[in-house]
Amino acid sequence: MTETTATPNPVRERKVNLHVLGPVLALVALILLGAFLNSNFLSYGNVTNVLARSAFIGIIAVGMTFVITAGGIDLSVGSMAAFVAGVMILAMNALIPVLGIGVPLVLAGMAVALVTGLAAGLLNGFLISKVGIEAFIVTLGSMGIYRSLTTWLADGGTLSLDYAARSFYRPVYYDGLLGISWPILVFALVAILGELTMRHTPFGRYCAALGANEQVARYSAVKVDRIRMGTYVLLGMLVGLATIMYVPRLGSASGSTGVLWELEAIAAVIIGGTVLKGGSGRVWGTVTGVLILSLIDNILNLASIVSPYLNGAIQGVIVILAVVLQRGRKSAD
Amino acid sequence: MIRRNFLKSAALVAGLASAGAVAAQDESYTIGVAIPSATHGFMGGLNFHAREAIERLEATYPQLEFVLATSGDAGKMVNDVEDMVATRNIDALVVLPFESEPLTAPVQAVKEQGIWVTVVDRGLSVPGIEDLYVAGDNPGFGREAGEYFVEQLGEGDDIVVLRGIPTTLDNERVEAFEKAIEGSGINVLDMQHGNWNRDDAFNVMQDFLSKYDKIDAVWASDDDMAIGVLEAIAQAGRDKEMWVVGGAGMKEIIKRIMDGDPQLPINVTYPPAQIATAIELTALAMVSDTPVTGRFIIGSQRVTPENAKDFYFPESPF
């Protein structure tokens, strides 16, 4: 691996394209397979469904790309999403008498979600970079904490947004601009901004430097703690953003919201070609990874060629294959 | 799992310490209740009804004392049961086994010490240990739904089915459903697992809707899944086309049936309040000579707009 240097090198452009090819090939193969198995696969409705439902994991996975690139990991994002959704629903229900049902209520709810996500990310980041506990342990702990807090808030049941408020808020998931629904637009925007940040800002380069070699980064005057904390805060805020898109879909949160999202997000990042031990991150790759994961589910549902008991096994095989394809290309360089 | 247990065991130990001092008088009895923790809607309801039943019984029978332990996994539940016997000297145990296999030997050990054992919902893997078995009716749950489909649909009508987490319980329900609709000419287009989860059910139903142009009805087999299914149908704008039958009696769904929602004609119960039945019967066995040994199977009932108010518990979290 020679990608530890911070400055992009135009001569390496061709090689980078080869790296990108693995996951893209897998994605194209899946799309062809889907189109072959079911004529509705490429219909407007199905494509919109798949993209919109990828958006939650996708937005989170973009943030996860930064955390992993900087050599960290965050296992708490799934339960954090559940917790943020729970807090957001409670806050919105409580604010109805004050704000009434309308745009201010929705904006207040969104602000609560972003702030809760930011606070949760800040807490993770603080414990990891200032207190110096391993990211795996901190986020394993906060994963349990957020999950039980959600169950506790919901009294073991489900938190539901007030019906009228929900009807007002619902278009945020189901409507959109020019036939493209909001979650897809937000996901696209986050991906583009993420790619720009990763490639063209000091923050992105510092993340890669930190993930590649912390000592060297420290001696190169990179504010290591601050960058590391920054990745977790960014991820927390993106979890908040994903929740803003998630809550209007079903208008509820419970202890079973967002289960295993963390692993899906991490898997998407790795399928996309970011190295699990850090040092090199690709946001576009992550987007490809997210799409691959959702398409597998979609195709299995549309095709029903195998017993549904085996869905998990097929997903596993495709995830591993996508990474093998990509690593194969890499070693061939 | 371990994470979740930490606080709970601390709470349990504290509870034991404070109450342990109350020495058992001759006519007083202690009943231990061990149930899974409230990780999803149904268990949340079950926890609610367990607490309510205990409160009610403690008020009615001053000579009864209860120890309630909720566990996140089978191992923790075994510890809880052992602690109850060792430190609280319980006279009866009401247990909803987290899993049948790992709980069988520990519960058998409890029984061998002469303690009354009531098993709820999931049976132990060795028959004849328990004094009383209280459970919902899984085949009945599938059959009741299936019979409604047969009444409403006929030759050539198409339905889709969402299944729960792959388990024996789910298999029993689905087999009974399939048996009930056998020979009716109803065509099951597809079955997929929605894992008793709203989000999963939403995704599966979206895909069913993309795949099939004609669906006459959906057996969502659970109310959490029914919520996801209804949302997917609304998104596709096909609300007029099909109705949905969930199950288990979640309060939001029961409310909509009560209000005569055409999309939700009926529901089939699988009451989380069965834990209350078990605790009440066990209490009766302690304080009186009322015979309650045997098996008590709570039938899965059909909820219709007419009788829905009898199944509506607005206070319960489920």
Side-chain angles (χ1 to χ4, degrees):
Chain A
M1 289 301 304
T2 52
E3 296 189 333
T4 51
T5 45
T7 38
N9 185 345
V11 185
R12 289 222 321 270
E13 204 67 21
R14 194 185 55 87
K15 243 193 234 173
V16 169
N17 282 341
L18 279 177
H19 286 184
V20 174
L21 222 55
V24 171
L25 277 182
L27 184 62
V28 170
L30 275 176
I31 293 174
L32 290 177
L33 179 71
F36 168 74
L37 287 172
N38 192 304
S39 55
N40 283 330
F41 177 73
L42 289 176
S43 68
Y44 166 77
N46 191 52
V47 172
T48 308
N49 285 348
V50 172
L51 289 176
R53 76 171 86 129
S54 313
F56 317 131
I57 303 281
I59 293 170
I60 294 172
V62 169
M64 189 68 85
T65 311
F66 284 88
V67 169
I68 292 181
T69 301
I73 191 92
D74 192 337
L75 300 174
S76 70
V77 289
S79 26
M80 195 193 288
F83 177 65
V84 173
V87 170
M88 182 180 179
I89 289 170
L90 285 176
M92 285 179 75
N93 284 345
L95 285 173
I96 290 174
V98 188
L99 296 175
I101 289 171
V103 178
L105 180 73
V106 169
L107 289 179
M110 289 178 172
V112 168
L114 286 178
V115 169
T116 313
L118 184 143
L122 198 65
L123 185 70
N124 278 343
F126 175 78
L127 289 171
I128 292 162
S129 55
K130 301 289 182 198
V131 184
I133 312 171
E134 284 85 353
F136 189 91
I137 297 301
V138 169
T139 57
L140 187 65
S142 50
M143 170 170 108
I145 294 171
Y146 296 137
R147 177 76 57 208
S148 1
L149 281 179
T150 313
T151 309
W152 177 71
L153 285 177
D155 199 12
T158 304
L159 291 166
S160 297
L161 189 57
D162 175 86
Y163 187 75
R166 198 185 145 239
S167 310
F168 185 81
Y169 188 14
R170 201 172 172 273
V172 172
Y173 181 82
Y174 292 98
D175 285 359
L177 265 186
L178 306 169
I180 305 171
S181 69
W182 289 116
I184 304 177
L185 290 172
V186 172
F187 177 25
L189 192 69
V190 167
I192 291 168
L193 289 178
E195 173 69 17
L196 288 176
T197 311
M198 184 66 94
R199 290 270 160 259
H200 301 291
T201 66
F203 178 72
R205 290 196 289 272
Y206 290 158
C207 284
L210 172 58
N213 190 327
E214 189 178 336
Q215 288 305 323
V216 173
R218 201 182 289 276
Y219 293 141
S220 316
V222 173
K223 292 199 173 74
V224 170
D225 288 352
R226 203 178 281 181
I227 296 295
R228 181 170 287 143
M229 180 114 100
T231 59
Y232 290 98
V233 172
L234 176 71
L235 178 54
M237 284 187 71
L238 288 174
V239 169
L241 186 63
T243 311
I244 288 175
M245 299 283 118
Y246 170 81
V247 169
R249 183 167 85 171
L250 296 172
S252 63
S254 70
S256 59
T257 299
V259 170
L260 294 186
W261 280 12
E262 60 280 347
L263 292 187
E264 277 193 53
I266 294 169
V269 172
I270 303 309
I271 292 172
T274 300
V275 185
L276 187 53
K277 63 182 196 298
S280 149
R282 259 210 318 271
V283 174
W284 285 136
T286 299
V287 173
T288 318
V290 170
L291 294 181
I292 288 176
L293 286 177
S294 343
L295 278 183
I296 298 171
D297 261 340
N298 182 241
I299 290 173
L300 288 173
N301 283 340
L302 285 182
S304 44
I305 29 175
V306 289
S307 156
Y309 293 139
L310 286 174
N311 282 6
I314 294 188
Q315 282 171 345
V317 168
I318 295 182
V319 166
I320 294 174
L321 266 184
V323 177
V324 167
L325 237 103
Q326 164 212 339
R327 295 289 145 91
R329 297 273 158 188
K330 260 185 191 165
S331 52
D333 288 346
Chain B
M1 290 298 158
I2 298 160
R3 307 176 302 283
R4 209 183 296 133
N5 293 341
F6 172 69
L7 288 174
K8 294 242 171 72
S9 356
L12 180 69
V13 169
L16 293 181
S18 64
V22 185
Q25 293 146 1
D26 269 339
E27 73 281 9
S28 83
Y29 301 97
T30 308
I31 300 177
V33 180
I35 52 177
S37 46
T39 43
H40 59 275
F42 179 80
M43 281 303 165
L46 194 115
N47 275 260
F48 168 84
H49 287 290
R51 283 198 306 269
E52 251 207 346
I54 287 174
E55 234 169 72
R56 192 168 57 235
L57 286 166
E58 277 179 335
T60 319
Y61 305 112
Q63 71 270 41
L64 285 187
E65 212 181 299
F66 290 86
V67 194
L68 174 67
T70 62
S71 334
D73 63 78
K76 167 75 167 44
M77 183 172 268
V78 171
N79 296 347
D80 287 347
V81 168
E82 286 170 357
D83 286 352
M84 283 178 190
V85 175
T87 62
R88 292 302 303 272
N89 208 1
I90 53 172
D91 302 286
L93 171 70
V94 179
V95 60
L96 197 168
F98 204 97
E99 285 165 54
S100 303
E101 291 291 337
L103 261 302
T104 298
V107 173
Q108 190 159 26
V110 171
K111 179 65 205 163
E112 277 159 10
Q113 298 181 40
I115 294 168
W116 176 283
V117 171
T118 302
V119 173
V120 190
D121 197 28
R122 295 173 208 168
L124 299 170
S125 43
V126 176
I129 296 175
E130 68 272 4
D131 296 278
L132 169 65
Y133 177 66
V134 177
D137 181 5
N138 283 308
F141 180 91
R143 190 174 54 243
E144 191 63 47
E147 282 166 0
Y148 181 77
F149 277 72
V150 174
E151 286 164 28
Q152 298 298 317
L153 302 172
E155 192 71 41
D157 284 331
D158 296 315
I159 65 166
V160 290
V161 174
L162 283 93
R163 306 186 53 166
I165 294 170
T167 44
T168 335
L169 188 157
D170 185 60
N171 289 346
E172 282 177 8
R173 291 177 174 183
V174 173
E175 273 160 26
F177 179 83
E178 284 177 316
K179 204 149 164 263
I181 62 167
E182 215 170 59
S184 65
I186 297 173
N187 182 19
V188 179
L189 294 171
D190 217 328
M191 288 196 185
Q192 289 283 348
H193 291 278
N195 304 324
W196 294 317
N197 177 299
R198 291 181 184 197
D199 291 309
D200 290 358
F202 177 83
N203 291 350
V204 168
M205 192 62 204
Q206 272 192 333
D207 291 343
F208 281 164
L209 289 164
S210 308
K211 194 173 169 187
Y212 303 106
D213 294 328
K214 175 173 174 282
I215 301 173
D216 298 299
V218 183
W219 186 44
S221 78
D222 172 74
D223 286 338
D224 268 313
M225 292 205 283
I227 300 252
V229 164
L230 288 169
E231 206 49 67
I233 296 173
Q235 184 203 14
R238 290 167 70 174
D239 342 29
K240 298 275 178 295
E241 220 175 284
M242 62 195 86
W243 42 265
V244 179
V245 172
M250 181 194 285
K251 63 179 177 189
E252 288 86 359
I253 298 280
I254 300 292
K255 181 81 179 42
R256 287 175 69 170
I257 291 173
M258 219 154 86
D259 298 342
D261 190 326
Q263 259 190 295
L264 285 166
I266 63 149
N267 199 274
V268 180
T269 59
Y270 192 84
Q274 58 182 269
I275 189 71
T277 314
I279 296 173
E280 296 265 5
L281 287 177
T282 309
L284 267 186
M286 292 294 113
V287 300
S288 73
D289 297 328
T290 316
V292 294
T293 42
R295 297 165 60 80
F296 192 112
I297 305 302
I298 300 162
S300 282
Q301 286 169 283
R302 189 185 291 187
V303 182
T304 60
E306 289 74 40
N307 68 5
K309 64 174 192 320
D310 302 336
F311 299 94
Y312 185 54
F313 310 108
E315 299 303 314
S316 162
F318 183 65

